[in-house]
Amino acid sequence: MERVKRKLVLENGDVYVGYGFGAQSDAIGEIVFNTSMAGYQEIISDPSYTDQILVMSYPIIGNYGITDEDYESKSLLLKAMVVRDYNDAPSNFRYTKTLSELLEENGVPGIQGIDTRKLVRTIRDKGSMKACLTDESVPDEEVMKRIAEYVYPTDQVDRAGCKKRWYSRTPNHRYNVVAVDCGIKNQMVRNLNNKGCNVIVVPHTISADDVLALKPDGVFLSNGPGDPVNVPEVVELVKALKGKVPMMGVCMGHQLIALAYGAKTYKLKFGHRGGNHPILDKTTGFIEITAQNHSYAVDEKSLAGTGLEVTHVNLLDKTVEGVEDKRNKVFSVQFHPESAPGPCDSIRLFDKFIVNIEEWKKNA
């Protein structure tokens, strides 16, 4: 692989010079970091990274290549990838191509050989910010002008979610679940299939009447990119479906449920991304290690009087990680129980969704 000098410039003026891999194009977007030690293929194919420049804090990336079975979506929507040491000679009997080849095919540039420890600390201390990846020869002043002119988009969910409904069926299914696609990951659909559910994945713009016409036993609200206040269609959908069908939300789905109940959300300083976040389940007293990927959180004070009870709390910063409306069989979590990548401590939440469906049908 040809070593071409490239540079990463941050909104605060910091410059990191390294070598390119993947596509040799320029990229500009919000820079964020992920603390996972493995699972880079699942991470970069997660639609929640739409328009973001991703920094991996673990130093060696690319060493097991890319495999056909491990994608979380069909396309890569991140802007760029930043790593310390990129390995272009994978050792893995399953791999079909290198990470650089995948990025190049999807027009996503990467940069390696920079001090990612310093970069992660900068993002942690100063917060996520705009950044630009470009050729090393471009004057810093020109790059800073590009960054200043860049405006964060608000249509990420429109681009990350499906435009037409699609089906994922399983043999001898017991239930039908409608999954509202704000940028859904494949593993979430697989977990629902594994629990005996046929899944109908629908666009986030679907109406409540059209959802109910599909006769769902439950409704699943997926993860997705960007600010949840930019997805009012799903907020109104939740309001219309509350009390009519059990619902489960994950990540953005969690935030959208909170907004529908009258709570508020806010942007975190640098977000939660990685597979090592400790969460207290207040309903059991157990502490679970979770995988996360989000920039926004639910404001706990705004939950007062909404009918939602806090069920999970992040032990690192005390943010709300789960809420529940027991009467209407609605619950949500901020973390990713499907564990792709990440620990499997919270996979049982899909069982809770099934129990809610069964109890709802008994009382219908």
Side-chain angles (χ1 to χ4, degrees), residues 20-60:
F21 67 102
Q24 294 301 310
S25 55
D26 290 358
I28 185 168
E30 180 186 31
I31 192 163
V32 299
F33 66 85
N34 186 297
T35 58
S36 298
M37 296 177 66
Y40 54 79
Q41 179 176 347
E42 293 92 334
I43 290 168
I44 64 173
S45 58
D46 179 350
S48 294
Y49 283 105
T50 300
D51 295 334
Q52 292 180 331
I53 296 175
L54 172 63
V55 183
M56 298 298 296
S57 67
Y58 190 71
I60 302 174

Side-chain angles (χ1 to χ4, degrees), residues 305-316:
T306 63
L308 290 174
E309 174 188 355
V310 176
T311 57
H312 296 76
V313 176
N314 190 306
L315 294 180
L316 297 178

